[in-house]
Each structure stands twice: as C-alpha cells, then as structure tokens.
C-alpha cells in the first residue's frame, strides 16, 4: 500500500515563495510519474506540474517560469518549488503518483492535499 504525504503549504504574501514536499511510504514504488495538481474553491482539479519517467517535465502555462518540479528517487520524494506566487495560485495542492502496470493500466495514488493561500 502506497501513501503520499504532502507538507510545506501555508499562507504567503503575493510575490513570496513556498516549497512543497511529497514523500511516498509503503511499498510498490517505481513510479512512472509524480507530480502536483491543485484545486481552487469552486473549480476543478487541474494539473500544475508532472515529472514523467524522471526525465520529462510538464507545467501548466500559468506556472511556467515560476514553479519547478523535482524528484529525489532515493527518498521517494517529489518537490514543488513555487516562486513569485500570485493570489490565483491559492488552492489545495495534491501530490500525485502513477505506476503503470501494462499498456493501458496503471495504479494512481493521491495525497491528502496541502493548503496554499496567497494573499494580496
């Protein structure tokens, strides 16, 4: 059983920075992808950043140039460095991990979420 535990959220003023961490525990790692989604009040959950096969990274257009995703496979941890935060970055940030088991099958895991609030 895999558990993802996020940390690092909080309240920050616009222009500030936060670093989110997500540590995986349990067994059955070897994730093909790890990343972050977020959900603002009244909105759907959206992709923020994802690292695939420890090589490719993709970012939402709204965070490009401000957020950086990184992975430490030795620690089974993924990070999200968030700089120049804006009020529209406010939301609950969820860690995500995917382990493919076949051509069209995968296990997907989610963390419990961590709140990020950016004040004006």
């Amino acid at each position: 059983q895999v558990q993802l535990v996020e940390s690092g959220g909080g309240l920050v003023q616009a222009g500030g920075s936060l670093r989110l961490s997500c540590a995986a525990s349990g067994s059955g790692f070897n994730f093909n992808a790890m990343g972050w989604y977020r959900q603002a009040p009244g909105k759907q959950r959206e992709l923020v950043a994802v690292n695939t096969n420890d090589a490719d990274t993709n970012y939402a257009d709204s965070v490009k140039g401000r957020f950086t995703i990184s992975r430490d496979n030795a620690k089974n941890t993924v990070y999200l460095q968030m700089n120049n935060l804006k009020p529209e970055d406010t939301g609950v940030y969820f860690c995500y991990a995917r382990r493919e088991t076949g051509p069209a099958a995968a296990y997907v895991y989610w963390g419990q979420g961590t709140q990020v609030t950016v004040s004006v």
Side-chain angles (χ1 to χ4, degrees):
Q1 185 71 19
V2 173
Q3 284 189 321
L4 303 177
V5 179
E6 302 105 331
S7 61
L11 173 64
V12 65
Q13 287 188 327
S17 298
L18 284 174
R19 188 189 193 211
L20 304 183
S21 299
C22 171
S25 63
S27 61
F29 299 142
N30 298 317
F31 300 125
N32 299 92
M34 294 189 78
W36 295 89
Y37 281 68
R38 69 186 178 190
Q39 187 165 17
K43 295 187 177 181
Q44 290 187 333
R45 192 174 297 190
E46 62 174 0
L47 173 70
V48 176
V50 64
N51 175 285
T52 303
N53 294 325
D54 206 17
D56 299 323
T57 57
N58 287 288
Y59 296 92
D61 288 342
S62 60
V63 307
K64 285 181 180 177
R66 300 187 297 121
F67 290 12
T68 302
I69 188 172
S70 61
R71 284 173 69 171
D72 185 338
N73 291 327
K75 296 181 179 180
N76 298 310
T77 300
V78 63
Y79 305 96
L80 186 67
Q81 177 66 43
M82 305 186 293
N83 298 327
N84 190 22
L85 281 160
K86 303 176 180 181
E88 51 264 42
D89 294 318
T90 294
V92 179
Y93 282 68
F94 296 91
C95 180
Y96 156 90
R98 185 180 79 245
R99 180 167 60 88
E100 297 171 1
T101 58
Y107 286 109
V108 176
Y109 306 96
W110 293 96
Q112 81 287 354
T114 184
Q115 177 70 43
V116 171
T117 303
V118 184
S119 63
V120 298

